[in-house]
């Protein structure tokens, strides 16, 4: 027994001591790929939304002279610019090494932008940045300015008059300790940085403010926090408030001792605000993780923690109505009644503690019900020397226990008594924080992260939350939603077999949605009131499965295994989550619990906790299979030792693979009755992000592992051709970025698609080498991808830019044409329109249309394009600049006649008439290819 325990412990020591990836190597690997052209870049993806739910905003920077102009930073969707008050937004930070943003600072007088990458909301889906970037041309081009190991940046503050001086609050690594955190200052525009405040290697700076009247005075807040895959500690003695009176060179701690601001191990994240009119007034918003004293109230409802401490006799004396109310309020199965539970305890079938543990073991319950003080607001009237809590009553519901996810407070520039708090709700006080009023609008998403108040109009606010940007002109009575960017954060996606087929997906804090794959984003739904995407359920949307026998029965859910089977027509939904019994050890469910619906018999439904669960009745009566597939000695406040991926062979029913967050992969060949571990040859302890059973070879399986939670950014992709007995690593060409998903091409076993935290990659030789497929994509994380086999289309589920769609004809053709000098793809026929070339009146544009020309060239250069009629007469002749690889060009049906100018047309435009045409392309070397084009009349 001791020997086994030692071996088990050594395994876990090894698996959590793997080398971290230096940020410089990570950046270099990405930049190398960005600089190299890819032959696939000309195959363009099309974004199909959705936009209605938007995505998490981490910062706003508004032009104080013209508040219709501002920048919006999204957690994983990049930086966007508007000069139309949010009516339209354009991305300006799409091709850098990181798309996740913590803060943006703008020198509006000089048009200089600073971006700190890596958001500070330290949640499961907060991804590491690559430092600080700067643009001197309003975002057209960017320079990397260092601080690579920052990973997460809380705030950038610019000197109001000296453009060479800037300060950066660096929070540091999320999952590992590192010394490159604290407060940094530059005096040469970012060329060099000086670390002027350092507390320890798990404490960084999360917020920073400048005295508006004295720029040599700054205030910073530090935050001690450590996250592991199994545990998160969001507080510590290093969390504090600091002040500098010499431009950030030296810092003095303000909080603690006799300051009035608490200082102990329970101090969490701190947000800061200063009043522009009276800089002596400061506010500090604290996430207080200290536990509250027990409340004495005989009439209050029963509490699970109180129940756990009860003796058997005390429990048996409980009022049955009170106990029954506790059972129903906390979702105990209906079979458990007060009288029945008491009888079971009386018969020693299980203990009182087991009754309480049934509820306390639920991950959502532990997150929401931990009895901490939570959000507290403190105020200083003497520039930080002393602090006083502004309110007597607790702010229940402001943070719950998600204080690490919030931390912004804002004070009116003109009135030090008016203060706003960004938490789960948005709260407003006009009496210095004594009393608050909730100001969420009916079109506002909860979870607020940034608040901007107009310097001359306190009723004019712009806020950012998990659902995008909201704007008010009446201090929160009414809100406008600026949500036109497609910045949805998808965790997982799925398609069905309807015509046209639908796309399904679960999003971070925005539920589960479905919509048509043919969707083209526009604002017409504002008029009709019918947005094409429909919400199936709330919470953090997770995986989706669709019964393709009717394309109507859908399995979806939210975090920690809370899945449902629903009928889309009736809206009726039934839970399918396996539930443990009182007295039985609770199942552990991953944040994104894996599910799978068998393609062989679609009544068979699989779900993974730390065990494998199988239902033969559409999720009803799930059977728990032995043994436990994700055992772990590691314990914490985050469910760990859980399954993360389930795959069934498309070639054989019951041939199953299951992978876990602690790096274990198991194989079953008998529908989950028995299991064999097959991961001993693989790197240990990495998160199994995807398992794929091949549809081309029954013994082939792919595994992708993810080391992000150890700051290991190496790509891990493996293939086995013998059911996992032996593995081969296949990662050549992939950057140093975690891998989230792999898919086989259904038509060609040699073609593989891999989605990483920094883009999409394709292999044409079974994984021996990958090349990027950029196709107009931003450098966004690809969390999932799906191939709709009937339509030969690929759908990308991105975590920050919603959904993308593309045909696969060109990708599948590439292996056969890659050595050709020129290859021209067939063109679609187009129906003739008698209105082509006509302009009905001065209010309408001239009617025209276009047809897509697709071609491949081995070498970049000029190509000549000729359009010939049925008599081989050339009446269109023009040149194009072709990139190496695939190219696309839209051939218009109307074009200017020779001699025509934009100001003085000398001839009527030429119009493509009905008939058969030939398109001829000639390369500079003389290679020619032609393809037919048919322009037909309506029957």
């Amino acid at each position: 027994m001791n020997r086994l325990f030692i071996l088990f412990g050594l395994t876990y020591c090894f698996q959590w001591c793997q080398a971290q990836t230096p940020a410089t190597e990570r950046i270099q690997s990405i930049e190398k790929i960005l600089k190299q052209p890819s032959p696939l870049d000309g195959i363009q993806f099309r974004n199909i939304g959705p936009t209605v739910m938007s995505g998490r905003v981490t910062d706003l920077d508004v032009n104080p002279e013209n508040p219709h102009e501002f920048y919006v930073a999204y957690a994983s969707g990049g930086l966007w610019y508007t000069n139309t008050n949010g009516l339209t937004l354009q991305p300006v930070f799409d091709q850098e090494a990181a798309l996740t943003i913590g803060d943006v600072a703008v020198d509006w007088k000089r048009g200089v932008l600073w971006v700190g990458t890596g958001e500070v909301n330290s949640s499961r889906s907060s991804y590491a940045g690559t430092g600080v970037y700067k643009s001197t041309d309003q975002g057209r081009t960017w320079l990397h300015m260092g601080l690579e190991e920052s990973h997460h940046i809380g705030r950038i503050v610019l000197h109001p008059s000296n453009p060479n001086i800037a300060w950066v609050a660096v929070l540091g690594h999320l999952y590992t300790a590192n010394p490159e955190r604290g407060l940094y200052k530059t005096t040469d525009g970012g060329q060099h940085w000086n670390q002027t405040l350092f507390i320890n290697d798990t404490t960084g700076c999360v917020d920073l403010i400048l005295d508006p009247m004295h720029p040599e005075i700054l205030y910073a807040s530090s935050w001690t926090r450590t996250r592991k895959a199994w545990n998160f500690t969001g507080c510590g003695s290093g969390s504090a408030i600091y002040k500098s009176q010499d431009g950030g060179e030296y810092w003095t701690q303000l909080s603690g001792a006799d300051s009035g601001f608490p200082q102990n191990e329970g101090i969490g994240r701190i947000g800061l605000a200063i009043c522009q009119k009276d800089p002596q007034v400061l506010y500090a918003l604290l996430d207080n993780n200290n536990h509250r004293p027990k409340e004495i109230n005989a009439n209050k409802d029963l509490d699970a923690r109180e129940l756990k401490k009860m003796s058997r006799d005390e429990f048996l004396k409980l009022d049955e109505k009170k106990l029954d109310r506790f059972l129903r309020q906390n979702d105990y199965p209906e079979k458990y009644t007060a009288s029945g539970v008491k009888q079971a305890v009386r018969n020693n079938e299980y203990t009182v503690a087991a009754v309480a543990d049934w509820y306390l073991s639920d991950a959502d319950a532990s997150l929401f019900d931990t009895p901490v003080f939570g959000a507290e607001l403190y105020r200083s009237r003497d520039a930080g020397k002393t602090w006083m809590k502004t309110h007597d009553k607790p702010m229940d519901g402001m943070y719950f226990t998600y204080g690490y996810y919030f931390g912004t407070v804002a004070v009116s520039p003109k009135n030090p008594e008016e203060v706003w708090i960004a938490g789960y709700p948005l709260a407003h006080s006009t009496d210095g924080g004594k009393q608050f009023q909730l100001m969420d609008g009916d079109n506002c998403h909860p979870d607020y992260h940034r608040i901007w108040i107009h310097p001359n109009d306190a009723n004019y606010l712009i806020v950012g939350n998990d659902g995008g940007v909201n704007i008010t002109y009446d201090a929160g009575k009414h809100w406008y939603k600026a949500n036109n960017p497609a910045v949805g954060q998808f965790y997982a996606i799925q398609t069905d077999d309807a015509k046209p087929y639908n796309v399904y997906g679960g999003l971070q804090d925005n539920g589960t949605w479905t919509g048509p794959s043919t969707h083209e984003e526009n604002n017409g739904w504002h008029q009709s009131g019918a947005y094409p995407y429909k919400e199936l359920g709330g919470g953090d949307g997770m995986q989706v499965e669709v019964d393709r026998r009717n394309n109507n029965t859908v399995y979806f859910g939210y975090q920690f295994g809370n899945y449902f089977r629903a009928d889309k027509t009736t809206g009726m939904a039934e839970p399918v989550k396996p539930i443990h019994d009182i007295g039985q050890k609770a199942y552990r469910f991953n944040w994104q619990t894996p599910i799978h619906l068998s393609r062989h018999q679609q009544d068979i439904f699989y779900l993974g906790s730390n065990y494998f669960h199988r239902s033969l009745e559409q999720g009803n009566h799930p059977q728990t299979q032995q043994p436990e597939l994700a055992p772990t000695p590691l314990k914490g406040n985050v469910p760990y030792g859980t399954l993360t991926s389930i795959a069934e062979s498309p070639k054989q029913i019951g041939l199953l693979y299951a992978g876990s967050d602690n790096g274990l992969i198991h194989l079953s060949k008998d529908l989950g009755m028995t299991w064999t571990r097959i991961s001993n040859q693989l790197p240990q302890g990495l998160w199994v992000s995807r398992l794929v059973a091949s549809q081309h070879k029954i013994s082939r399986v792919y595994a992708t592992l993810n080391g992000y939670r150890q700051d290991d950014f190496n790509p891990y992709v493996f293939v086995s051709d013998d059911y996992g007995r032996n593995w081969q690593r296949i990662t050549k060409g992939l950057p140093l970025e975690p891998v989230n998903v792999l898919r086989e091409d259904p038509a060609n076993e040699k073609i593989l698609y891999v989605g990483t935290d920094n883009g999409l990659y394709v292999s044409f030789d079974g994984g021996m080498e990958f090349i990027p497929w950029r196709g107009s994509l931003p450098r966004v994380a690809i969390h999932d991808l799906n191939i709709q086999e009937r339509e030969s289309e690929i759908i990308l589920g991105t975590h920050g830019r919603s959904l993308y769609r593309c045909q696969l004809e060109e990708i599948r053709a590439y292996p056969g044409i890659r050595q050709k000098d020129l290859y021209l793809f067939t063109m679609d026929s187009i129906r003739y329109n008698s209105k082509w070339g006509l302009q009905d009146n001065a209010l309408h544009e001239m009617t025209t249309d276009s047809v897509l020309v697709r071609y491949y060239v081995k070498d970049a250069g000029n190509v000549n394009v000729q359009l010939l009629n049925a008599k081989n007469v050339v009446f269109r002749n023009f040149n194009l600049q072709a990139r190496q690889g695939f190219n696309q060009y839209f051939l218009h049906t109307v074009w200017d006649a020779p001699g025509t100018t934009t100001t003085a047309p000398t001839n009527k435009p030429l119009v493509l008439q009905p008939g058969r045409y030939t398109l001829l392309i000639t390369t500079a070397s003389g290679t020619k290819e032609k393809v037919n084009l048919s322009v037909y009349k309506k029957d």
Side-chain angles (χ1 to χ4, degrees), residues 301-363:
D301 284 339
L302 189 62
D303 178 82
R305 288 173 179 81
E306 176 185 288
L307 180 64
K308 188 177 176 67
K309 298 176 183 178
M310 280 187 182
S311 68
R312 183 172 179 272
D313 289 340
E314 288 174 324
F315 178 78
L316 294 176
K317 293 177 183 178
L318 271 177
D319 178 73
E320 287 200 0
K321 290 183 178 179
K322 188 173 185 178
L323 177 57
D324 207 50
R325 188 162 60 248
F326 167 81
L327 296 172
R328 300 290 75 81
Q329 288 177 345
N330 294 296
D331 297 323
Y332 282 68
E334 291 294 329
K335 66 180 180 179
Y336 293 115
T337 62
S339 59
V341 169
K342 277 190 172 185
Q343 187 60 45
V345 170
R346 192 176 289 114
N347 294 340
N348 296 317
E349 295 176 24
Y350 44 75
T351 65
V352 178
V355 178
D357 282 339
W358 188 95
Y359 171 73
L360 292 173
S361 62
D362 180 79

Side-chain angles (χ1 to χ4, degrees), residues 574-594:
E574 295 291 334
V576 295
K577 180 180 181 179
I579 302 296
H580 67 284
D581 291 329
I582 294 178
Q584 179 187 1
K585 194 171 183 179
Y587 303 128
R588 297 188 301 271
F589 295 93
N590 193 269
W591 176 259
Q592 186 186 155
T593 296

